[in-house]
Each structure stands twice: as C-alpha cells, then as structure tokens.
Amino acid sequence: MQPIEHPKSLMEVTAEKIRFAIVAGELPLGSKLSEQRLADMLGVSRSPVRDALAALQTEGLVRISPKRGSFVFTPDLGVVDELCEHRMILETAALRLGIGRNHEGLMTQMEKSCRAMEAAIDANDPHGYTLADHQFHNAIFEAAANRTLTKSYNLTISPLKALRTHLFTIMTENTDRSLSEHHLVIEATCRKDVDLAVSHLADHIGHLAEAFRAKLSSEQINDAMQAERQS
C-alpha cells in the first residue's frame, strides 16, 4: 500500500508563494514585509501569512523582530560562507550519486538548463538566467534520487537562491563566467569523470560567496566616496 498524500495546508501554500517571491527577487533582500499587504495580495487572511513568515524564518529567508516587524533576510558574510559550504557538501554528494544512477537524464536536464541560460543572456534577461540556473542545480538532486538529501537541500538552499538572484539582477554579477562554469561541470559529467565534475561544481559554488564579498566591498567603497562628496 502506498501512503496517502495529504493536501497542503493554506499556510504551506502561502509560504510557498512568499518563498518564491523572495527567491525570484519580487520581494527584495532587506525589504519590510507587511502581513496585511501580503494577505491582500494572496487573497487570504493574516493568520496563514503570519504562520508562513514564522516558517520561513526557520529557513533563514525571513527575520522577525517583535518591535520592528518582519523583513526579508539581509545577507551576512559569515552566514553566506556557511551556507555555501553546506551547499557544497550536499550538492557534490548528489552529483556523485546522479552520475552513477541517472547519467543520461542528468545530462539531458543539465544541457537543457544551459541552453535556457544562454537564451537568457542573449535576451538580457537576468531573471530568466537565475531561473535556468536553479533548474540546473535542481537536476543534480533529481538525478541523485535521494529524498533525504533533496529534503535537506530544499530546507536550507532558499537564502542562497535569493542571493544568486540578487547578484545577477541587482548587483549585475558576471553571467558569462557563471555559464562557463556550468559548461565545465557538464563536460566532466559527460565523460563520467566524477572527481573532475565535483571539483568544477565545488569551485562554482565557492564563487558565489566570493562574488558577494567582492560586490559588498565595491558598494562600501562607493558609499564612502559618495559620503565624502556630500560632506
């Protein structure tokens, strides 16, 4: 007998909608979240919105202050480093499994995602690029076919997905470098060179933290120069 799948609660559906809006950049990092406004937008009462925000706080996507309200998270360098390290451990393990368990399916989805990334670059569509980027990495976990690994990934990866969107759409991170790194992973995966594929993937994941650190430094310099000009 197969277990019965229970329908999702209103809170779960509400959390999914808000999570997607944060990851897609519709709700910018650091922005204030109004329970009433979200409830009006989603056509629900404030109760499921309140519960959804509490759930998203456990994922690291939302920060709730009793006196100030709820906000989309603001990245912290230390947290970003830890999240990238966590992601690297999970995703490289999934890639090893995926190459062995479903090589053909993995290759098909990776190549499809890369074509979508290339089309997004040609169309100057950073949101389209980030969506295809998410699909590329999700394909690795689909091929791994390990539900526990995938669940752990999904529960912790949302802040990094939101950060990737922020880098590509707000901070205009170099998508050409990102695309070339994806191609390196594909080439090694195609040859079933597991160690090389894992090495390329680890380098790619590590560059996310490096890119964020570089962009922060650049912004801090620009802010300092602007403050000096205004003084």
Side-chain angles (χ1 to χ4, degrees):
M1 295 178 65
Q2 296 296 319
I4 297 172
E5 292 189 8
H6 297 280
K8 292 180 179 178
S9 68
L10 184 57
M11 184 280 288
E12 289 175 316
V13 176
T14 301
E16 284 184 355
K17 294 287 188 181
I18 298 174
R19 183 188 298 110
F20 179 82
I22 294 173
V23 169
E26 296 174 20
L27 295 171
L29 302 186
S31 61
K32 186 175 177 58
L33 298 170
S34 164
E35 288 183 6
Q36 188 60 58
R37 184 166 180 269
L38 289 171
D40 293 341
M41 292 171 63
L42 297 172
V44 297
S45 67
R46 291 180 61 174
S47 180
V49 171
R50 187 179 305 111
D51 292 340
L53 292 178
L56 294 174
Q57 181 174 223
T58 66
E59 296 181 24
L61 277 177
V62 171
R63 291 179 180 171
I64 301 175
S65 173
K67 295 183 179 179
R68 298 180 60 234
S70 300
F71 299 82
V72 178
F73 82 105
T74 301
D76 171 86
L77 270 178
V79 172
V80 170
D81 285 338
E82 290 179 355
L83 284 171
C84 283
E85 186 175 54
H86 178 78
R87 175 193 172 196
M88 190 182 301
I89 292 169
L90 294 180
E91 199 161 332
T92 53
L95 182 57
R96 288 184 182 276
L97 292 175
I99 291 174
R101 292 178 175 176
N102 188 6
H103 182 257
E104 183 178 350
L106 177 59
M107 285 300 304
T108 297
Q109 292 305 314
M110 279 183 164
E111 289 172 344
K112 179 181 177 181
S113 298
C114 265
R115 289 194 296 271
M117 283 186 243
E118 290 166 352
I121 289 176
D122 291 340
N124 193 26
D125 178 11
H127 285 288
Y129 184 90
T130 57
L131 178 60
D133 186 11
H134 297 332
Q135 291 169 345
F136 180 97
H137 294 280
N138 287 339
I140 295 174
F141 285 89
E142 290 173 6
N146 184 305
R147 287 178 296 179
T148 302
L149 196 63
T150 301
K151 183 178 180 179
S152 179
Y153 178 79
N154 288 335
L155 285 174
T156 55
I157 198 61
S158 292
L160 281 184
K161 285 183 176 180
L163 179 58
R164 281 210 304 261
T165 301
H166 185 74
L167 283 169
F168 288 130
T169 60
I170 305 300
M171 290 181 163
T172 61
E173 170 61 9
N174 189 339
T175 51
D176 289 333
R177 186 183 80 163
S178 172
L179 180 62
S180 68
E181 291 172 351
H182 286 91
H183 278 301
L184 289 174
V185 175
I186 287 180
E187 291 167 7
T189 300
C190 182
R191 299 196 302 270
K192 294 188 178 181
D193 188 335
V194 177
D195 289 339
L196 184 59
V198 164
S199 177
H200 286 316
L201 181 61
D203 288 343
H204 171 64
I205 293 171
H207 287 159
L208 179 66
E210 292 175 10
F212 182 61
R213 184 176 287 102
K215 294 297 182 182
L216 276 186
S217 297
S218 177
E219 285 188 347
Q220 289 168 351
I221 292 172
N222 290 336
D223 289 345
M225 291 176 64
Q226 184 175 359
E228 184 178 345
R229 286 195 296 267
Q230 292 176 349
S231 62

